[in-house]
């Protein structure tokens, strides 16, 4: 395979906004973004258990389920509607699901790549115990294709929202050479 499988660790905290009108404006919510056509139709049997999630006041959100999904290093999703699906990297799960414990979550994945029409991104969905649901996407800060991607631009026009969806990647000490890490707070309003 010509593509490199660079590891990317994303560790994030998210807060769920309790219905406290006086505090509601403390943080700006993570913007909602399209789910896209490739939400998995079949889920891996395993569920990871090493995480954390937070809310609009910076308070950890209890009982939040976080899902991420993305294409492999060739830009191929594991989905029935994905052309060329048979060529996908079968060693790459492409989907992860975790319960936030004390608002914390983390996951390990590949650095996302572009595919036709889209700049690199990771899909994310958060369902809270209180019935809240947020679907969004994370992008690589500074990626040249971002500004040509209409979905990215729709949310990034507002600099405060941009901050919620841009991953700032940095070397991850203690991991394999070349591994990168970022921290993304997911703020659910
Ligand atoms: Fe996508």
């Amino acid at each position: 395979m010509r593509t490199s499988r660079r590891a990317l660790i994303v560790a994030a905290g998210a807060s769920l906004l309790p219905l406290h009108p006086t505090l509601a404006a403390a943080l700006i919510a993570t913007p909602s973004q399209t789910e896209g056509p490739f939400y998995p139709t079949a889920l891996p049997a395993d569920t990871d258990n090493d995480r954390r999630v937070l809310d609009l006041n910076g308070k950890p959100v209890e009982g939040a389920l976080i899902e991420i999904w993305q294409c492999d290093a060739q830009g191929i999703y594991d989905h029935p509607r994905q052309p060329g699906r048979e060529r996908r990297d079968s060693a790459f799960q492409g989907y992860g699901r975790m319960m936030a414990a004390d608002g914390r979550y983390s996951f390990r994945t590949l650095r996302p790549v572009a595919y036709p029409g889209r700049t690199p991104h990771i899909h994310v969905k958060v369902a809270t115990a209180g019935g809240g649901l947020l679907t969004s996407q994370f992008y690589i800060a500074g990626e040249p294709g971002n500004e040509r991607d209409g979905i990215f631009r729709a949310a990034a026009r507002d600099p405060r929202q941009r901050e919620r969806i841009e991953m700032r990647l940095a070397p991850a000490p203690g991991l394999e050479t070349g591994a990168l890490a970022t921290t993304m707070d997911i703020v659910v309003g």
Side-chain angles (χ1 to χ4, degrees):
M1 191 182 302
R2 62 178 174 76
T3 46
S4 63
R5 302 190 65 195
R6 281 176 291 181
L8 165 65
I9 306 298
V10 179
S15 277
L16 188 57
L17 184 58
L19 294 177
H20 256 219
T22 53
L23 300 175
L27 294 177
I28 186 154
T30 298
S32 177
Q33 295 236 278
T34 177
E35 177 176 295
F38 298 122
Y39 180 78
T41 56
L43 306 181
D46 64 308
T47 303
D48 301 306
N49 258 37
D50 169 37
R51 43 281 179 189
R52 174 190 176 181
V53 181
L54 313 176
D55 79 17
L56 278 184
N57 299 311
K59 187 179 171 196
V61 175
E62 295 301 330
L65 177 70
I66 303 179
E67 299 172 283
I68 65 161
W69 67 100
Q70 68 177 87
C71 57
D72 69 8
Q74 309 164 91
I76 300 175
Y77 283 90
D78 183 14
H79 192 278
R81 278 183 282 173
Q82 170 69 67
R85 184 190 189 189
E86 67 283 355
R87 291 187 285 106
R88 69 176 287 275
D89 176 6
S90 59
F92 178 55
Q93 192 166 291
Y95 174 84
R97 177 178 40 166
M98 58 216 110
M99 284 297 299
D102 192 26
R104 293 181 181 280
Y105 75 92
S106 66
F107 55 85
R108 179 185 178 86
T109 187
L110 299 178
R111 180 184 177 128
V113 300
Y115 57 82
R118 292 305 316 278
T119 196
H121 59 278
I122 297 174
H123 293 272
V124 58
K125 187 184 283 195
V126 180
T128 68
L133 187 65
L134 169 73
T135 303
S136 194
Q137 299 181 27
F138 290 161
Y139 302 85
I140 300 170
E143 185 77 20
N146 287 354
E147 304 303 331
R148 295 191 297 273
D149 185 300
I151 298 174
F152 170 84
R153 283 204 316 266
R157 233 174 258 130
D158 179 333
R160 297 170 306 166
Q161 289 193 347
R162 174 183 288 258
E163 195 178 320
R164 290 275 174 260
I165 58 172
E166 278 187 335
M167 299 184 290
R168 300 186 179 283
L169 307 182
L175 298 174
E176 64 266 42
T177 304
L180 300 169
T182 190
T183 298
M184 294 294 288
D185 284 335
I186 301 173
V187 180
V188 184

